[in-house]
Amino acid sequence: MCVLIEELSRLKKSSMDAVDNDDSFSEFKQYMHVHRQVETDLITTIERAKKSDKKSLILVCGNVGDGKSHLISYLKHHKDNYLEGFYIHNDATESRSRSRNEKQELAKVLTDFSDENIDNGSTSKVIVAINLGVLSNFIESEEGSKFRKLAKYVADNKILIDTDMAVEEAANDVFYHVNFGDYHIYRLIEGTVDSPYISSIMDKIFQDDFENKFFGAYSQCGLCEFSECCPVRCNFEMMRDPVVKKGIIDILLETIVKDKIILSTRELLEFMYDIVVPPLFDEKKYRKLKHEEKLDYFIKCSLPSILYDHDQISALFTHVQQYDFKKRRTEAFDELITRFNNTENVKAVLSEYISDNSCLRYILKFDKDILNRRKGTLLTFMARMCKIAPKNGSIKVINEEYIDFVKNLYFANKNDKANIKKIYDTVKKCIYLWNGSSDGKLNLNVNNEDYTISTSLLLSPDISRYGEIREENSFEKFPAYINVTYQAKNDSSKKATVSIDYDLYEMLKRVESGYRPTAKDCNYYAGFVSFINKLSTFSSSDEEIVIRHFDKDEIKEFVLEKNDFGLYEFREVL
């Protein structure tokens, strides 16, 4: 097997290196470790528990594969005797006894923290790494019924609830927790997103470092006669390019934000393997191909093709593929298609639009006739490279709605009231536009072509959730949505809140631009429809209703209103 592929295989979920345990922490794991804010917070929590003269239970919560067990093992083996005195239960999904299931095993580990034993004077210290789903199931189980005080702590701290409000840890001198689910793999910073964590992981794999065994294996590629045309080597070299690195990170973050993906460290590492090593890559078959066939196979195995043509690799690739730039038709891209199809100098156009990289260099070694016969394939390659590594002056692949949503998310978490006005204004417009009105009146009937029934609805924004503007300019713990609240203008006790994620934000921007939601849209965005319905109960429909009748080119308007004597009058508005 290729030395580089063999070394990269250590990144796969199926690798022995993907398994964490209490007994050992390999040199490889030590090298791959990247510091995160959650590590600092866990150390702070452990120090608090150490100083306590009472028993202590630390719940290290999170999702599958997010690094809970890795971090505990790292602290145990990296710092001599740091966790001395603590009993560590590093996998609450399994039982260490054949006679007990995982819930019974967990109940046994937590015996000292049951309602019956919580005040028994013991000073035991326990750390439990536990997935949020497992914790929820345990609390609801028969075994969990003996741990009501623990359940109350979990509820009081909203450990199992996604909330946009900062939760101050409920006072408790026995129970502690750090929830990996509260931390994103990316951060909001000054109106944009980045990920020092993903960047550091990529550096561990692709940077030029004598400790980096991946780079050591790559360095041996020059000894292989197959090296010049090897897609694995070329893909690895591309990932070493700072422009490509930033492009891949941006693509991942855009996908994570848009689709609300929880990307675990384990999944991230496997992604790094998959994007370099083509699926089902057959070196022996590749070597036997003829000259032109080798080019076709090479392009299929190149990084852009792996990223967008192989959704079967994993769920992450399926999500990424939705945002393939070749599916986005823009005026600039249409002009490029026309130019590319009409040119006799494919090499010049490729070089103009794509930054220099190892894959491009190999492609450009083929003569122009061979390249001209593959314009469709090369156009797709070029369009994707414009997204991954745009060259200065080439097509800019910009998604305005995504950029604006990230800005609004940042402003909401910073409590920047002046700048969150824009999203509040968008929501307010769409409250009226959703059912086809825009004049401050809310349509009460939907999908009727003959007439509309509307009523006045006066609203004002409720921004009481936002306190003083925060001094910090970057955030790692935040909800991936924005809560927007509107209230009746003359009665602040009547209010309704809607959570705006990217998907809903994109739809609202379409509605704001004139799009009329369909019945399917109303079902899909039921949360926003419910928000409008609740607001409609604050309207003045018991005081006045406006009816518009559409008869060919004529529009007649009628008003049903309550007069000063409490009686209803019906009249035509002339």
Side-chain angles (χ1 to χ4, degrees):
M1 177 186 280
C2 166
V3 175
L4 179 56
I5 294 177
E6 186 174 6
E7 189 64 34
L8 288 168
S9 296
R10 303 179 74 176
L11 301 173
K12 299 179 69 175
K13 291 181 184 178
S14 57
S15 167
M16 287 298 295
D17 291 298
V19 180
D20 290 294
N21 60 70
D22 298 339
D23 299 327
S24 63
F25 196 77
S26 68
E27 181 182 341
F28 175 74
K29 292 182 184 296
Q30 177 70 38
Y31 170 74
M32 290 300 296
H33 179 76
V34 173
H35 178 82
R36 296 174 64 186
Q37 180 60 42
V38 67
E39 179 180 333
T40 300
D41 293 347
L42 178 56
I43 289 174
T44 300
T45 302
I46 291 171
E47 292 296 334
R48 286 171 55 204
K50 278 184 172 184
K51 292 175 182 177
S52 172
D53 57 1
K54 297 183 178 181
K55 64 176 64 175
S56 302
L57 170 62
I58 301 175
L59 298 176
V60 183
C61 316
N63 298 295
V64 177
D66 57 11
K68 299 180 296 297
S69 297
H70 168 85
L71 181 52
I72 292 173
S73 295
Y74 171 78
L75 293 177
K76 180 179 179 180
H77 296 280
H78 180 65
K79 295 187 176 184
D80 292 339
N81 303 319
Y82 182 69
L83 296 181
E84 186 177 0
F86 282 90
Y87 176 80
I88 299 172
H89 191 60
N90 215 357
D91 190 352
T93 62
E94 295 184 359
S95 173
R96 301 180 184 182
S97 171
R98 293 183 178 180
S99 62
R100 294 188 297 271
N101 61 35
E102 71 279 0
K103 294 186 184 71
Q104 293 168 337
E105 177 74 9
L106 184 56
K108 182 177 182 297
V109 170
L110 300 179
T111 298
D112 251 356
F113 301 91
S114 68
D115 299 338
E116 180 182 355
N117 296 326
I118 195 76
D119 297 317
N120 64 2
S122 165
T123 58
S124 60
K125 309 285 184 182
V126 177
I127 296 176
V128 174
I130 186 167
N131 294 334
L132 292 170
V134 174
L135 177 60
S136 177
N137 291 337
F138 175 74
I139 288 174
E140 297 298 325
S141 70
E142 180 182 349
E143 291 80 7
S145 64
K146 299 174 183 177
F147 296 86
R148 293 302 89 194
K149 290 184 179 180
L150 173 60
K152 184 178 185 305
Y153 173 83
V154 170
D156 289 347
N157 285 277
K158 296 181 171 56
I159 294 175
L160 299 174
I161 300 174
D162 186 16
T163 176
D164 71 323
M165 304 298 287
V167 179
E168 238 180 81
E169 187 173 355
N172 194 288
D173 54 2
V174 174
F175 301 122
Y176 306 83
H177 79 281
V178 171
N179 187 357
F180 275 64
D182 291 338
Y183 301 79
H184 291 279
I185 204 167
Y186 62 98
R187 65 178 178 175
L188 296 171
I189 178 167
E190 297 183 342
T192 62
V193 290
D194 70 0
S195 179
Y197 183 68
I198 296 179
S199 179
S200 296
I201 289 289
M202 292 178 73
D203 286 343
K204 292 284 186 181
I205 301 169
F206 302 109
Q207 71 182 351
D208 184 350
D209 189 323
F210 73 92
E211 291 185 358
N212 182 2
K213 293 186 177 180
F214 301 109
F215 180 77
Y218 158 76
S219 299
Q220 297 181 44
C221 288
L223 303 175
C224 176
E225 61 179 357
F226 184 58
S227 176
E228 182 183 24
C229 60
C230 175
V232 178
R233 179 194 64 81
C234 289
N235 291 340
F236 191 93
E237 283 188 5
M238 283 186 69
M239 292 293 280
R240 287 170 45 76
D241 184 329
V243 178
V244 173
K245 174 187 174 184
K246 184 181 184 304
I248 293 297
I249 292 174
D250 288 344
I251 288 169
L252 283 174
L253 297 186
E254 182 177 350
T255 305
I256 290 168
V257 172
K258 286 182 174 181
D259 293 358
K260 295 185 290 188
I261 296 172
I262 299 174
L263 181 62
S264 70
T265 299
R266 199 176 297 167
E267 290 168 328
L268 176 61
L269 293 176
E270 180 138 11
F271 174 83
M272 295 303 163
Y273 170 85
D274 289 330
I275 203 170
V276 173
V277 183
L280 304 178
F281 176 63
D282 189 334
E283 182 182 341
K284 292 181 180 179
K285 176 183 176 182
Y286 186 34
R287 286 175 180 268
K288 295 177 181 178
L289 294 176
K290 295 179 181 178
H291 185 57
E292 289 191 39
E293 292 175 333
K294 195 164 283 187
L295 173 61
D296 295 330
Y297 195 83
F298 179 88
I299 294 174
K300 288 179 182 178
C301 292
S302 68
L303 186 150
S305 298
I306 296 173
L307 191 60
Y308 291 113
D309 285 339
H310 297 281
D311 61 339
Q312 77 280 3
I313 296 176
S314 70
L316 178 57
F317 280 86
T318 302
H319 285 282
V320 169
Q321 191 177 8
Q322 295 180 86
Y323 307 110
D324 187 349
F325 177 53
K326 78 170 187 176
K327 298 178 182 179
R328 292 178 62 88
R329 300 303 297 268
T330 64
E331 184 176 346
F333 189 43
D334 286 343
E335 290 175 359
L336 174 58
I337 292 174
T338 301
R339 179 186 172 191
F340 196 80
N341 286 334
N342 292 328
T343 188
E344 292 297 322
N345 194 348
V346 170
K347 291 186 178 184
V349 180
L350 289 173
S351 299
E352 180 181 344
Y353 283 90
I354 303 176
S355 296
D356 179 58
N357 63 74
S358 53
C359 286
L360 178 63
R361 287 195 294 273
Y362 178 69
I363 291 171
L364 294 181
K365 289 183 177 182
F366 288 81
D367 66 51
K368 68 176 185 179
D369 291 334
I370 293 176
L371 297 181
N372 282 339
R373 288 196 292 271
R374 288 162 176 78
K375 282 186 177 180
T377 301
L378 292 172
L379 178 63
T380 296
F381 176 85
M382 181 171 64
R384 289 166 171 173
M385 284 305 303
C386 286
K387 173 77 171 179
I388 296 168
K391 189 174 183 178
N392 290 336
S394 68
I395 294 176
K396 296 293 187 295
V397 185
I398 299 174
N399 184 326
E400 295 291 349
E401 289 82 10
Y402 167 68
I403 292 172
D404 288 344
F405 176 75
V406 168
K407 286 181 180 177
N408 283 302
L409 191 60
Y410 172 78
F411 293 140
N413 281 278
K414 193 172 175 62
N415 291 336
D416 189 338
K417 298 174 187 176
N419 280 303
I420 60 172
K421 180 180 182 298
K422 290 182 181 179
I423 192 169
Y424 267 81
D425 289 346
T426 293
V427 171
K428 187 174 184 179
K429 288 178 185 177
C430 293
I431 289 169
Y432 301 105
L433 290 172
W434 192 271
N435 290 335
S437 181
S438 60
D439 56 1
K441 294 186 182 295
L442 185 71
N443 279 354
L444 301 178
N445 68 319
V446 186
N447 298 328
N448 192 303
E449 297 179 357
D450 297 326
Y451 63 90
T452 63
I453 301 174
S454 59
T455 185
S456 178
L457 177 63
L458 301 178
L459 299 171
S460 63
D462 175 12
I463 56 174
S464 58
R465 71 174 58 247
Y466 300 104
E468 292 296 317
I469 194 165
R470 297 169 68 177
E471 292 184 4
E472 59 263 49
N473 292 320
S474 67
F475 308 99
E476 291 187 23
K477 296 174 66 175
F478 56 89
Y481 54 85
I482 306 162
N483 275 345
V484 172
T485 302
Y486 267 94
Q487 60 191 17
K489 194 161 191 176
N490 299 319
D491 187 351
S492 61
S493 67
K494 296 179 179 178
K495 58 184 64 179
T497 300
V498 63
S499 296
I500 312 290
D501 58 11
Y502 172 78
D503 193 29
L504 177 55
Y505 181 79
E506 184 183 40
M507 172 55 70
L508 294 181
K509 297 304 288 186
R510 291 178 64 195
V511 172
E512 193 177 24
S513 298
Y515 175 77
R516 180 72 182 272
T518 64
K520 184 178 180 180
D521 293 326
C522 291
N523 287 330
Y524 187 80
Y525 299 101
F528 192 73
V529 173
S530 296
F531 170 67
I532 294 174
N533 290 340
K534 184 172 182 179
L535 290 173
S536 70
T537 64
F538 309 156
S539 70
S540 59
S541 58
D542 59 339
E543 298 289 333
E544 179 187 79
I545 288 178
V546 177
I547 302 168
R548 287 189 179 91
H549 181 256
F550 306 96
D551 184 13
K552 297 182 180 179
D553 296 330
E554 185 180 11
I555 301 176
K556 291 185 177 182
E557 185 172 310
F558 305 89
V559 176
L560 177 65
E561 60 184 347
K562 186 183 289 187
N563 62 24
D564 294 339
F565 297 93
L567 302 175
Y568 286 98
E569 294 180 352
F570 185 78
R571 59 184 175 84
E572 182 176 359
V573 179
L574 301 175

